[in-house]
Amino acid sequence: MIKLFRIDHRLLHGQVGFSWVRSIGADCILIADDDSATDSLKMATLRLAKPQGIKLVVKTIDDSIKAIKSGATDKYKLFIVTGSVKDAKRICDAIPEIKSINLGGIKNREGARQVSQAVFLLLEEEDMLHELGARGIELEIRQVPTETKTIYS
C-alpha cells in the first residue's frame, strides 16, 4: 500500500527519514532514482540516513515501477521518494493507483519559478504537474507533515 509519494531532490534526509515515516506509519522507503540505484556511494549514503527498523529499497525508475506493478511491494506500508518531477511523472504514468504527490523539495535552477519556500519549478515541470493534476492527482506542497497542506494548481 502506497502511503505517500514524494518528490524531493535530496531523496532521504532527516525530514523524510523520520518526520514523514512516523507520520504516515511507513515500514518501507522506496527510493526511485536511477543515479542512486547505480552508484554505490550514493546508495551507502542513503543507507546511513535510513531510520532504524525501516526497510530501505533503492531501485531505478523502471525497476521501481516493475516492483510496484508486480505486487512485490503490496505487503509494505510504502513511502516512495523520487528526486524529480520528470521521474514522478514516469511513475504516475505507469502506476495509475497513485492519487497524490507530495512536493517536498525541488532545488532552484536557472529558469525555475519559486512556487513555495523549497519548491522551484521549470516551465516543463509545471506542465507535467498540470497534466497530472488534470488526471485528478492531488499535488500538495509540504516539507514536513506538521505544515499546513498547500495544494499546487
Side-chain angles (χ1 to χ4, degrees):
M1 173 195 330
I2 298 171
K3 301 294 282 179
L4 184 69
F5 181 41
R6 178 179 171 93
I7 303 171
D8 192 322
H9 70 275
R10 299 168 294 175
L11 298 174
L12 186 57
H13 55 89
Q15 286 174 323
V16 171
F18 296 95
S19 299
W20 281 106
V21 167
R22 284 188 189 125
S23 174
I24 63 174
D27 58 10
C28 180
I29 300 169
L30 170 60
I31 303 293
D33 182 69
D34 291 341
D35 290 338
S36 297
T38 57
D39 182 323
S40 58
L41 181 59
K42 286 184 181 181
M43 194 161 322
T45 303
L46 291 168
R47 285 196 174 106
L48 289 172
K50 176 191 82 72
Q52 189 173 355
I54 303 297
K55 181 175 180 65
L56 174 67
V57 179
V58 182
K59 292 186 173 290
T60 64
I61 301 301
D62 288 338
D63 287 345
S64 295
I65 291 167
K66 285 177 193 167
I68 295 165
K69 289 180 98 168
S70 75
T73 62
D74 290 353
K75 61 186 173 189
Y76 297 107
K77 296 173 187 164
L78 193 63
F79 179 17
I80 305 169
V81 184
T82 195
S84 72
V85 173
K86 180 181 174 186
D87 289 344
K89 185 173 182 309
R90 278 178 62 197
I91 294 168
C92 287
D93 288 347
I95 313 288
E97 297 81 13
I98 295 173
K99 300 296 182 200
S100 179
I101 301 173
N102 168 257
L103 305 175
I106 302 170
K107 67 182 171 184
N108 193 5
R109 294 144 295 155
E110 187 173 329
R113 180 175 76 89
Q114 186 172 10
V115 297
S116 79
Q117 180 182 356
V119 176
F120 298 82
L121 298 171
L122 298 170
L123 182 58
E124 57 265 28
E125 293 171 327
E126 291 196 64
D127 290 343
M128 285 184 247
L129 290 173
H130 286 138
E131 181 185 327
L132 293 170
R135 286 192 227 161
I137 296 173
E138 178 189 65
L139 305 166
E140 60 121 342
I141 300 172
R142 275 194 293 174
Q143 285 187 282
V144 292
T146 55
E147 286 181 356
T148 301
K149 181 191 294 192
T150 301
I151 301 299
Y152 173 80
S153 55

